[in-house]
């Protein structure tokens, strides 16, 4: 059941604003806008035995067309880019989308999902790396307009013990470095498996909660955590910080749990079937906007918008008084 959240004064403030615009989108080529999408894979036939399809391949194409029209600085794909990473057939339509985006100057980065390492993990990772040569399997970071995007590998089972240790150590050091860097205003962390979700199909990732979330929460500039795996839009507030699930890139929509024991979803009334996200820094805040595919598939429109305020450094404020 949905509950109203009363936001009290705190160091970090975010406000939820619902918007829906149907005006045509014009190419902005805005070098300060960052786009995120997840779970753009085509449905597997076995999934259709218990989940309903909704012209999913067409939906994915429409979303990529919209990103191409808006022309953000970068697009980050948060895993499950295709449904079988080792399959040349599954990569063919994706290769066309990637080529068009890169030809127009949009940088495209990605992290591994579970489908990239499914069946033949080594071959799947090789094909993935060919398309995303800057990808590092134990974590990497890209900075766009003072926003640092940290990309982590939550396929912990495919990493050796040494690689798992290396990634967590790297993440801790990277957050410390970014927190100390005056040119970085916000840090967005991301991985494929969601630490918090009410999906009945995949569930919340305990390893992500244990390995990654504590470091994220301890970082002063880390305000937004993005993930997929759950094919839904979900938004959670954990210790004053924002966790969003954005798995609406084209996979089959997954049912959500309700009733006692669920995570408190701030976006319980906003459940688009297909969507992606844009993030833009405006002065001292991040404007985080969900772009949803219209129900009639006639293009995309702006959905929910969240504004995330920059953290006020309490120590500095106290020292100046």
């Amino acid at each position: 059941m949905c509950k109203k959240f009363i936001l009290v004064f705190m160091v970090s403030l975010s406000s939820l604003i619902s918007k829906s615009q149907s005006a045509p989108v014009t190419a902005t080529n805005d070098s300060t806008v960052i786009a995120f999408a997840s779970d753009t894979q085509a449905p597997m036939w076995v999934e259709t035995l218990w989940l309903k399809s909704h012209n999913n391949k067409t939906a994915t194409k429409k979303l990529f067309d919209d990103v191409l029209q808006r022309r953000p600085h970068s697009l980050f794909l948060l895993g499950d880019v295709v449904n079988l990473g080792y399959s040349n057939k599954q990569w063919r339509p994706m290769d066309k989308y990637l080529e068009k985006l890169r030809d127009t100057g949009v940088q495209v980065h990605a992290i591994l999902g579970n489908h990239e390492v499914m069946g033949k993990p080594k071959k799947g990772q090789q094909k993935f790396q060919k398309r995303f040569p800057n990808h590092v399997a134990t974590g990497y970071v890209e900075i766009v307009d003072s926003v640092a995007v940290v990309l982590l590998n939550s396929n912990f089972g495919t990493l050796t013990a040494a690689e798992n240790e290396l990634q967590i150590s790297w993440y801790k050091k990277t957050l410390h470095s970014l927190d100390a860097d005056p040119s970085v205003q916000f840090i967005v962390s991301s991985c494929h498996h969601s630490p918090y979700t009410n999906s009945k199909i995949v569930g919340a990732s305990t390893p992500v909660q244990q390995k990654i979330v504590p470091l994220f929460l301890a970082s002063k500039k880390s305000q937004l955590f993005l993930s997929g795996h759950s094919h839904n839009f979900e938004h959670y507030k954990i210790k004053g910080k924002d966790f969003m699930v954005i798995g609406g890139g084209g996979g089959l929509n997954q049912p959500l749990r309700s009733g006692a024991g669920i995570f408190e979803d701030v976006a319980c009334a906003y459940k688009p079937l297909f969507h992606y996200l844009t993030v833009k820094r405006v002065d001292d805040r991040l404007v985080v906007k969900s772009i949803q595919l219209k129900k009639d598939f006639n293009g995309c429109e702006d959905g929910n918008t969240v504004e995330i305020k920059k953290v006020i450094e309490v120590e500095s404020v106290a020292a100046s008084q």
Side-chain angles (χ1 to χ4, degrees):
M1 184 172 67
C2 299
K3 294 182 179 180
K4 293 183 178 179
F5 283 78
I6 302 175
L7 299 181
V8 296
F9 178 78
M10 59 180 79
V11 171
S12 174
L13 172 69
S14 66
S15 58
L16 187 65
I17 308 168
S18 295
K19 293 182 180 180
S20 179
Q21 301 175 354
S22 56
V25 176
T26 56
T28 59
N29 197 24
D30 192 338
S31 63
T32 66
V33 171
I34 314 168
F36 296 86
S38 190
D39 300 271
T40 53
Q41 81 271 28
M44 302 179 76
W45 72 267
V46 68
E47 295 175 312
T48 62
L49 297 178
W50 67 88
L51 295 175
K52 185 178 179 181
S53 61
H54 298 87
N55 296 316
N56 297 70
K57 292 182 181 180
T58 300
T60 297
K61 181 181 183 303
K62 293 285 185 179
L63 293 179
F64 273 105
D65 287 345
D66 194 74
V67 174
L68 182 66
Q69 194 171 15
R70 293 176 189 257
R71 295 186 188 177
H73 179 281
S74 300
L75 170 65
F76 292 88
L77 299 173
L78 306 186
D80 286 2
V81 181
V82 296
N83 66 23
L84 284 175
Y86 66 80
S87 170
N88 289 326
K89 178 181 178 181
Q90 296 303 323
W91 278 107
R92 286 188 192 117
M94 185 57 58
D95 286 339
K96 293 179 182 179
Y97 302 147
L98 298 177
E99 182 180 10
K100 287 181 180 179
L101 287 167
R102 287 167 172 157
D103 283 348
T104 60
V106 178
Q107 298 182 25
V108 188
H109 308 282
I111 48 179
L112 292 163
N114 56 292
H115 279 269
E116 275 77 45
V117 298
M118 184 179 291
K120 302 176 182 179
K122 185 176 181 179
K123 188 174 181 180
Q125 290 181 66
Q126 288 174 344
K127 292 186 179 297
F128 180 90
Q129 195 69 37
K130 179 181 177 180
R131 284 144 175 103
F132 306 103
N134 292 336
H135 168 263
V136 179
T138 53
Y140 68 113
V141 62
E142 300 287 341
I143 299 177
V144 180
D145 186 46
S146 77
V147 178
V149 180
V150 181
L151 300 109
L152 300 165
N153 185 358
S154 55
N155 292 290
F156 302 116
T158 66
L159 299 175
T160 65
E163 288 171 333
N164 271 295
E165 184 177 346
L166 173 63
Q167 176 168 242
I168 298 306
S169 175
W170 174 86
Y171 184 46
K172 184 176 182 179
K173 291 177 181 177
T174 298
L175 290 179
H176 180 75
S177 176
L178 294 172
D179 276 338
D181 186 345
S183 68
V184 173
Q185 300 298 310
F186 290 92
I187 303 171
V188 178
S189 287
S190 62
C191 66
H192 179 65
H193 299 82
S194 294
Y196 307 104
T197 175
N198 289 321
S199 169
K200 291 182 179 180
I201 303 299
V202 296
S205 172
T206 300
V208 174
Q209 291 179 16
Q210 295 174 340
K211 296 173 182 287
I212 297 176
V213 170
L215 296 175
F216 169 81
L217 292 175
S219 166
K220 65 182 180 181
K221 292 181 183 176
S222 294
Q223 291 297 106
L224 177 62
F225 195 103
L226 299 177
S227 57
H229 200 44
S230 166
H231 299 173
N232 292 283
F233 182 91
E234 301 169 78
H235 181 190
Y236 302 101
K237 295 286 291 188
I238 307 296
K239 295 187 177 180
K241 298 193 177 186
D242 294 88
F243 290 74
M244 292 186 184
V245 181
I246 58 166
L252 298 178
N253 187 250
Q254 298 172 356
L256 295 169
R257 294 186 297 112
S258 60
I262 66 169
F263 296 107
E264 297 275 12
D265 186 353
V266 180
C268 56
Y270 178 69
K271 298 299 169 199
L273 280 179
F274 305 106
H275 61 272
Y276 69 95
L277 206 69
T278 62
V279 174
K280 177 181 174 67
R281 184 185 65 82
V282 179
D283 298 327
D284 65 343
R285 67 191 187 278
L286 283 183
V287 179
V288 183
K289 184 181 297 182
S290 173
I291 311 299
Q292 63 185 19
L293 181 62
K294 295 179 182 179
K295 292 182 179 179
D296 62 3
F297 276 52
N298 186 25
C300 296
E301 60 187 359
D302 294 353
N304 275 11
T305 297
V306 175
E307 294 190 2
I308 301 175
K309 295 285 288 184
K310 182 180 178 181
V311 171
I312 301 171
E313 296 186 45
V314 176
E315 298 85 358
S316 299
V317 173
S320 65
Q321 292 180 341

